[in-house]
Amino acid sequence: MKIDIVTIFPEFFRGPLDHGIIRRARESGLATIEVHDLRAFAHDRHKTVDDRPFGGGEGMVLKPEPIFECIEALNIAPREGRKDARQSVILLSAQGKRFDQSVANELAALERVVLICGRYEGVDERVGQYLADRELSIGDYVLSGGELGAAVIVDCVTRLIPGAVGNQASTQQESFTTFSQAQAGNGPSSTCTSGGLLDYPHYTRPADFRGMGVPEVLASGNHEEIRRWRRRTAIEKTLRNRPDLLDKTALSDEDRKLLAQITGKNL
């Protein structure tokens, strides 16, 4: 997989791309990640990439010319042919669709992704309207630019590339992964996917730490009881931290029974 990042601050990515799973994926050839300086495509002596907005208003807006020229120089397929070419050009924007695990899985299945990092007051609308395939936002808040969002997306997508994580099953048994996204693995039967909810709690040695013990069921060796405990605690944590996910997830009959036991309400 190849990922291109277009930014006015290429040095920002020296840290995020040089550690952990991303570094290993690059070194093993599973992912090629290149950072492109947008100012290299500005032709005036000041390397100007922004200008004042038409109609007045605060701030500056990234100009369309250098962005279009940069994308064209990358030899990306034309917009209408990107789906067949398994490519996507993405504009990082506070106005974009919220990035989540399902979008990450979709991007991980592509061969090439281009991330355009917005800056200043915004990006000329023609970039999103005629050049990018989609706009993405990593959350309902405003950042100074798209660089942090791009780093988040690169990390999330790279770890889903087969072989990037030592135990690939671990990427299918965590928060937000739906049953349809999970594939059968070689893990123990006591392990359950989140099914679109938050992940269950995890514990490791020592079994007793400063009087705080590990739940006895996890040391019982009873895989079915462990599985039920994990599912129940996953539902409890989701109800506590992200109750909105319960409305978006197709709950099984067992899930509904567990939720009724937790809330004391018949569902």
Side-chain angles (χ1 to χ4, degrees), residues 164-183:
V165 176
N167 180 3
Q168 198 64 32
S170 66
T171 66
Q172 301 167 3
Q173 299 165 349
E174 54 194 1
S175 297
F176 310 114
T177 303
T178 64
F179 290 120
S180 61
Q181 293 166 346
Q183 301 175 3

Side-chain angles (χ1 to χ4, degrees), residues 49-61:
V49 295
D50 62 318
D51 207 336
R52 295 176 180 174
F54 277 112
E58 303 299 326
M60 302 291 279
V61 176

Side-chain angles (χ1 to χ4, degrees), residues 119-130:
R119 266 281 156 179
Y120 306 123
E121 187 65 21
V123 178
D124 188 291
E125 184 66 17
R126 288 165 289 190
V127 173
Q129 190 172 1
Y130 299 106

